[in-house]
Amino acid sequence: MPTTIEISDSALKEAASLGMDEFIKVFTDKYLDILGGNLNAEKMGLLNGAQHSVLAYHFFREEVMEGGFVQLIQNGYGGYIFDNPFAKSMRLFGAEDFSKLIYKAKKIYDAHKEDLEKERSEDDFMAMYEQYEEFDDLEEEFLENEEEITSIIAGYIDEHLEEFANIK
């Protein structure tokens, strides 16, 4: 059963004044705290679907901005992003184009899942960027639209606060 998550209104207002990414971070920091800092099967039930969607966006954004889809998948988030209804959630949040981008990436992921998730040396990991250049255009599209996507997601959270936390 999902845990009751409480966030102070003052923390939200302060974060919002710093930017949409900071607003979202107030929620994701709290979720990560409840999960003990990492995802695992036994703790998945502590968050509801909407909370998982925001946390998935957090991981997606951090990993893709730093090292693309290859890094996202190699760091163990492939299943969390592509084997869950993350893309559908993003569409429901109002980020339709982003949802389509995730579905395109999922096709690549599904076709090469075993190889993409295989443990590799640092050199083999770096070689994956050439091997999986089909992710390049999707990464570029995300990076070009990241601020707008983050703003859409933050807006959805703001309009549906009760799905994400109890504000006190």
Side-chain angles (χ1 to χ4, degrees), residues 1 7 16 18 22-23 32 48 77 83-84 88 100 109 117 120 134 139 144 146 148-149 151 153 158 160:
M1 187 167 136
I7 295 175
L18 299 172
E22 291 298 318
F23 176 78
L32 286 168
N48 67 33
Y77 298 112
D83 293 339
N84 285 304
K88 180 181 179 183
K100 291 174 188 171
Y109 172 76
E117 292 183 341
R120 299 174 185 271
E134 56 202 306
E139 291 164 359
E144 286 174 10
E146 179 273 327
E148 179 186 353
I149 295 164
S151 180
I153 293 166
D158 192 38
H160 303 88

Side-chain angles (χ1 to χ4, degrees), residues 87 90-103 152:
M90 293 300 99
R91 182 176 49 79
L92 295 172
F93 282 22
E96 291 90 359
D97 291 341
F98 178 51
S99 175
K100 291 174 188 171
L101 181 146
I102 298 162
Y103 281 122
I152 290 168

Side-chain angles (χ1 to χ4, degrees), residues 93-160:
F93 282 22
E96 291 90 359
D97 291 341
F98 178 51
S99 175
K100 291 174 188 171
L101 181 146
I102 298 162
Y103 281 122
K104 289 176 190 172
K106 178 178 172 34
K107 284 183 182 176
I108 300 167
Y109 172 76
D110 287 346
H112 305 281
K113 182 177 181 173
E114 189 175 323
D115 185 57
L116 282 163
E117 292 183 341
K118 189 167 54 177
E119 191 123 347
R120 299 174 185 271
S121 68
E122 183 68 26
D123 288 343
D124 289 343
F125 168 72
M126 295 310 287
M128 289 178 73
Y129 286 101
E130 286 183 34
Q131 186 180 352
Y132 290 102
E133 288 179 341
E134 56 202 306
F135 283 127
D136 290 356
D137 289 343
L138 299 176
E139 291 164 359
E140 199 172 304
E141 182 182 334
F142 175 70
L143 294 174
E144 286 174 10
N145 297 297
E146 179 273 327
E147 282 185 35
E148 179 186 353
I149 295 164
T150 299
S151 180
I152 290 168
I153 293 166
Y156 183 87
I157 295 169
D158 192 38
E159 292 171 17
H160 303 88

Side-chain angles (χ1 to χ4, degrees), residues 49-75:
Q51 293 164 338
H52 274 294
S53 295
V54 171
L55 189 59
Y57 180 68
H58 162 78
F59 290 128
F60 180 94
R61 181 177 174 270
E62 278 199 347
E63 297 292 332
V64 172
M65 287 180 73
E66 185 178 308
F69 284 98
V70 167
Q71 179 176 306
L72 172 83
I73 296 163
Q74 277 286 297
N75 283 345

